[in-house]
Amino acid sequence: MGRFAKAVDQLLIWFILFQMIALTAVVIFAVLARLTGNSLSWYDEIAAIQLAWLTYYGGAYAALHRRHIGFDSVLLSIPMPFRGWAVILAEAVVIGFFVLLAYTGFEVLVVLEGEYLVSLTWIPIQFTQSVIPIGATLFVVCEVLSFPNYYSKCCSGISLEHAEIEEEVETELAKVGVKS
């Protein structure tokens, strides 16, 4: 992983960690408030937004590490050199989808100008929905950063999914003292 990819990795880790802590704090605070008979009017809206943000940024992190939904087995069953072209085509489709999502997300932000949350009227909906174009753009950046390594491994016949599964099996077998 290059310097820029490591910087993106660290940025995403810290942002996701912050979101997880903030979402946990909001949920605990809301539960405590309900236990004391004081329901928070803003809880549902804010928790849903935080969960969406966590999902989008977590998806970008997964893309950087190639841990999102993939079809290595299908690609590995294709003979070379067609496999290389299939990997490029698959990557182009994924990136094309997220470019379209980012573009549409920016269009939605324009439409939402001047709108505010229902429960917290000082928070613009443009801010809360900015996760769509930003998350989609981050996903594209992470796909591009991780593509060279993925392409190389896929063309060499190495599955990222299988390698991870085999490593976990070896680790679990070692824990119970079984040698494979």
Side-chain angles (χ1 to χ4, degrees):
M1 198 181 299
R3 275 174 110 172
F4 183 67
K6 286 180 184 178
V8 170
D9 179 67
Q10 287 301 303
L11 178 71
L12 286 170
I13 286 173
W14 283 106
F15 188 78
I16 291 166
L17 183 62
F18 171 76
Q19 281 299 320
M20 289 172 63
I21 292 168
L23 180 57
T24 302
V26 166
V27 170
I28 290 171
F29 184 67
V31 168
L32 293 175
R34 285 188 183 164
L35 287 174
T36 62
N38 301 311
S39 184
L40 302 173
S41 63
W42 52 267
Y43 163 73
D44 292 332
E45 197 170 25
I46 296 301
I49 291 165
Q50 285 181 296
L51 187 58
W53 280 37
L54 193 55
T55 302
Y56 273 89
Y57 288 100
Y61 181 77
L64 184 61
H65 294 277
R66 291 289 167 161
R67 297 296 182 247
H68 54 75
I69 297 172
F71 301 99
D72 280 357
S73 297
V74 173
L75 289 172
L76 292 177
S77 68
I78 300 171
M80 285 299 291
F82 302 111
R83 182 186 317 147
W85 290 107
V87 171
I88 292 169
L89 176 64
E91 193 72 9
V93 169
V94 169
I95 288 174
F97 171 78
F98 280 97
V99 166
L100 182 62
L101 181 63
Y103 174 77
T104 306
F106 281 118
E107 293 291 314
V108 167
L109 291 182
V110 172
V111 172
L112 293 173
E113 186 174 358
E115 300 287 326
Y116 295 87
L117 294 181
V118 173
S119 59
L120 297 174
T121 57
W122 53 273
I123 299 178
I125 292 180
Q126 279 185 315
F127 172 70
T128 64
Q129 299 306 308
S130 67
V131 71
I132 298 169
I134 293 171
T137 303
L138 273 172
F139 198 98
V140 169
V141 168
C142 291
E143 281 285 304
V144 169
L145 289 173
S146 64
F147 182 72
N149 183 45
Y150 176 70
Y151 180 79
S152 172
K153 288 194 179 201
C154 204
C155 286
S156 299
I158 300 169
S159 169
L160 295 178
E161 294 170 3
H162 296 163
E164 183 179 322
I165 292 169
E166 289 168 9
E167 182 180 322
E168 285 298 318
V169 168
E170 292 293 327
T171 301
E172 292 304 314
L173 287 175
K175 285 181 184 176
V176 295
V178 177
K179 293 183 180 181
S180 57

